[in-house]
Amino acid sequence: MSLIILRADSRKKILNAIADLERHAGLKVRGKPRILRNDIADRMASSILGELRMKSSVAAAVEVEDDDTRSIMAIRRIHPPAHVIVVSSEYDEYNDLREMFGGLRVLRGYYSHKGS
């Protein structure tokens, strides 16, 4: 299983990016996507990737059934409308995100076309 952070400038782009993860990258979203505070998402993304060009206005976190490597390779093939970061278990942020994930509010408006 992988944890993924999505950062964007609108809720609509986040929802479209999550749909792209399933439709075009072939990843299976587990459960419901969660709302992540954009400042937390920016901090985690910056810690993993280094300096960010832009801050996000909206952020979400999703869990997918695929492992980190498969998730990264699948996402590299597509061009979602949001910044997508696979938080690998090798990063300290993984445990932080895993701990807070269940307590985050559900992101409304996303419905899997695969019927999860």
Side-chain angles (χ1 to χ4, degrees):
M1 283 185 279
S2 298
L3 288 173
I4 297 175
I5 294 174
L6 298 103
R7 304 169 55 247
D9 56 8
S10 74
R11 185 175 177 277
K12 182 178 180 180
K13 287 182 180 180
I14 293 285
L15 292 170
N16 285 335
I18 296 169
D20 286 354
L21 292 179
E22 283 197 325
R23 288 186 195 125
H24 303 298
L27 301 175
K28 175 70 173 133
V29 173
R30 249 187 105 171
K32 304 277 185 193
R34 306 293 179 137
I35 298 169
L36 184 61
R37 281 188 13 212
N38 60 317
D39 59 321
I40 293 172
D42 289 348
R43 180 178 47 78
M44 288 183 170
S46 176
S47 178
I48 294 168
L49 302 172
E51 188 175 341
L52 301 175
R53 286 188 250 162
M54 296 175 57
K55 292 188 180 213
S56 62
S57 299
V58 182
V62 296
E63 185 176 36
V64 296
E65 290 184 0
D66 304 90
D67 65 30
D68 296 336
T69 303
R70 161 117 170 69
S71 297
I72 291 166
M73 297 309 289
I75 292 167
R76 289 181 75 184
R77 292 191 330 257
I78 66 171
H79 301 286
H83 188 203
V84 179
I85 304 111
V86 176
V87 183
S88 169
S89 57
E90 68 186 57
Y91 295 110
D92 294 334
E93 292 76 16
Y94 178 86
N95 291 327
D96 295 341
L97 187 56
R98 169 72 55 214
E99 285 179 23
M100 71 173 69
F101 190 82
L104 298 173
R105 287 191 348 242
V106 171
L107 176 67
R108 299 206 184 278
Y110 178 70
Y111 301 97
S112 173
H113 77 286
K114 294 184 178 182
S116 61

